[in-house]
Amino acid sequence: MHRKTRFNPLPLAVALTLVSAVASAGVLARDPYLQKVGPDTALVAFRLAANCSPEVRYGVGAVSEVARSEASGRVHAVVLTGLKPSTEYSYEVSACGLKTPTKRFTTAPEPGTRSVHFAAVGDFGTGGSDQKAVAADMLARKPELFVALGDNAYPDGTEADFQDHLFAPMAALLAEVPLFASPGNHEYVTNQGQPYLDNLYMPTNNPAGSERYFSFDWGHVHFVSLDSNCAIGLSAAERCSLADQKAWLQTDLAGTTQPWKVVFFHHPPWSSGEHGSQLTMRRQFGPIFEKYGVDLVLTGHDHNYERSKPMQGDGVASSGGIPYLVVGGGGAALRAFSEGQPSWSQVRDNKAHGFLDVEVVEGVLTAKLITTDDTVLDSFTLHKDLPPVEQPPPADALSVTVEGERGVAPHRALFRATTSSVVPVSWDFGDGGAAEGTTAEHTYAKAGQYTVTATATFGAVTRTATSVVTVSAAPGGGGGGEDGGSGGGTDAGTPSTGNPDDRPSPPTTGTPSTDDEGGGSGGGCAAGPTAALLPAAGLMVAGLLRRRRAGRRP
């Protein structure tokens, strides 16, 4: 007998709705966004719509590798390791039996690489159409990284504000371009920026291990993100202090070896906008920027665009100086300037939303303010002299060194081939003799000038290098001792004794050959590793000398 139960469709409907929501959202409640991308690592963060064990599949081209999340719940940040610099990777998130569409990102170049492309803008986190248009324009130009100048999540920097006003409207951009951010005053409305710290994963290279301010290298550019809210007293001292941040900044800028230095934060030291210049930031940090050669300072806060002339102290620099930019047209409503254009202001505009597109190639930095109608509102160029890059040897480099480039017949010379990788090397000694190996020795039986050729085989590519060995005849036409005989000698710097047996024979890795004047097969006959065929007269002299020494022994 089967008990009859009333069917309740509600749980099934809820389950189907959940699955449908996961699928329609591309598996996730929050699409993946890239954080802390470096030359060999990347962090992929996302939020699940249901509890399950997610993984990130990734690879160059095909997604053939897997990194699994070690977290439980719905908040996940998966670190990909072992990546290659300046390489495009495909990736997708797999969770709850479904997967996201494939996205792509490019790892950072090796530090010191002299080509960098980045975008910068602030005051965008509204969720509105202007923000979406700026984000779409940025993605179309595909910068290597996106530098955010604060007010990333209006109005209060809550968890919901981050989801609705940052991650949702900018999902396509953040899935393919890594974000490096600084906090704005609107993020500080809620618990002094705690949701900002909870939702973003920034570098932690200050003594406090805080993500409020940090630095990183991208190619030959050193980036520094400061927390201007902290600096002007909006945070509790135990969370962040002006003194600690200044001390860290000096150490950080003094220690970088990258030629270009870009600093970004929210409150502008120079601005003629509604909020005006933030004098604490100017006077506390400006001297540090000048001392350590900062090239460019990027800020937001005022909802407009403004570029200062090169500044030093509290005025325009007579030479050198630092341009300060307000790039606050990322999406929030634009605002009128509070005053007429001051003499220190080079360019300003409050009519168009847009972002700063920056390329740094070698010793030239070129920046353009690109508006949502695809016009260039402002552009400028900075120059600096950089030392030449030390070029590494090519992958198929070959060089030859010779010990004993000159001597008297019979003359023994030593050869060494230096290659950029371990590959086969063959030798042609120029007299019909040959050998194999990176080191070899060869004895020239008669006078002449011989071109020695080393050939290295790098797969399908061969490289050759040559040297010349000059052998003179023994005085009086005799065979003479090796490397000299009577009156002979070599350029090796070691006096000859006239007796081949008085010097140790160096180790040999090849099979040396000689060209015996008597003929043989015509190509020279191969000798053992330490043997060489000497003319008959030479052998007789060597034998007589050995017997004479033996007769002197007690």
Side-chain angles (χ1 to χ4, degrees), residues 18 44 65 122 139 254 315 344-345 351 357 434 457 550:
L18 178 60
V44 180
E65 299 186 59
L139 181 57
W344 55 261
S345 178
K351 304 299 182 184
D357 188 77
T457 303

Side-chain angles (χ1 to χ4, degrees), residues 195-429:
Y196 166 88
L197 300 174
D198 293 340
N199 282 271
L200 298 178
Y201 302 84
M202 295 293 104
T204 54
N205 65 334
N206 60 58
S210 168
E211 297 174 54
R212 295 177 187 269
Y213 54 95
F214 57 87
S215 66
F216 64 97
D217 288 340
W218 196 286
H220 65 329
V221 180
H222 183 67
F223 290 91
V224 177
S225 172
L226 297 179
D227 185 348
S228 56
N229 303 278
C230 160
I232 64 176
L234 298 183
S235 71
E238 65 271 14
R239 296 192 182 193
C240 180
S241 74
L242 170 63
D244 289 346
Q245 194 169 188
K246 283 182 62 180
W248 168 81
L249 177 64
Q250 293 189 75
T251 301
D252 178 82
L253 290 176
T256 183
T257 59
Q258 303 308 333
W260 288 97
K261 303 174 186 69
V262 175
V263 178
F264 62 100
F265 49 91
H266 189 60
H267 298 82
W270 292 91
S271 172
S272 62
E274 180 183 63
H275 295 296
S277 301
Q278 219 306 316
L279 296 182
T280 298
M281 292 305 297
R282 182 197 300 178
R283 290 170 182 167
Q284 292 292 332
F285 289 95
I288 302 174
F289 299 159
E290 293 164 10
K291 178 179 179 180
Y292 294 103
V294 169
D295 299 288
L296 183 65
V297 175
L298 305 175
T299 64
H301 199 39
D302 277 324
H303 298 180
N304 52 253
Y305 174 76
E306 186 165 25
R307 172 166 62 92
S308 78
K309 296 175 181 177
M311 309 302 292
Q312 184 175 23
D314 284 326
V316 177
S318 57
S319 62
I322 303 170
Y324 288 78
L325 273 66
V326 177
V327 191
L334 300 173
R335 295 172 181 166
F337 290 100
S338 60
E339 56 180 292
Q341 187 168 1
S343 59
W344 55 261
S345 178
Q346 185 80 39
V347 178
R348 67 179 192 173
D349 177 85
N350 67 338
K351 304 299 182 184
H353 290 90
F355 71 97
L356 194 71
D357 188 77
V358 185
E359 291 186 275
V360 191
V361 180
E362 296 288 343
V364 179
L365 182 152
T366 304
K368 300 176 183 178
L369 194 285
I370 300 177
T371 67
T372 51
D373 62 1
D374 206 30
T375 61
V376 177
L377 182 68
D378 180 35
S379 64
F380 63 95
T381 302
L382 304 178
H383 298 267
K384 63 171 49 185
D385 294 328
L386 302 185
V389 177
E390 292 186 10
Q391 296 293 338
D396 53 3
L398 167 67
S399 62
V400 167
T401 55
V402 181
E403 181 180 341
E405 291 179 316
R406 295 177 179 272
V408 176
H411 172 62
R412 183 177 61 188
L414 308 178
F415 305 91
R416 179 179 297 277
T418 301
T419 56
S420 52
S421 57
V422 179
V423 295
V425 177
S426 60
W427 297 90
D428 179 348
F429 297 118

Side-chain angles (χ1 to χ4, degrees), residues 441-495:
E441 69 174 78
H442 184 68
T443 299
Y444 292 92
K446 58 183 181 180
Q449 190 173 68
Y450 304 96
T451 299
V452 180
T453 303
T455 301
T457 303
F458 299 85
V461 177
T462 59
R463 291 287 181 263
T464 60
T466 61
S467 186
V468 175
V469 176
T470 302
V471 181
S472 58
E482 182 186 356
D483 290 340
S486 58
T490 69
D491 293 336
T494 303

Side-chain angles (χ1 to χ4, degrees), residues 546 548-554:
R546 279 195 297 271
R548 182 174 298 175
R549 284 201 305 272
R552 292 197 190 107
R553 292 175 187 154

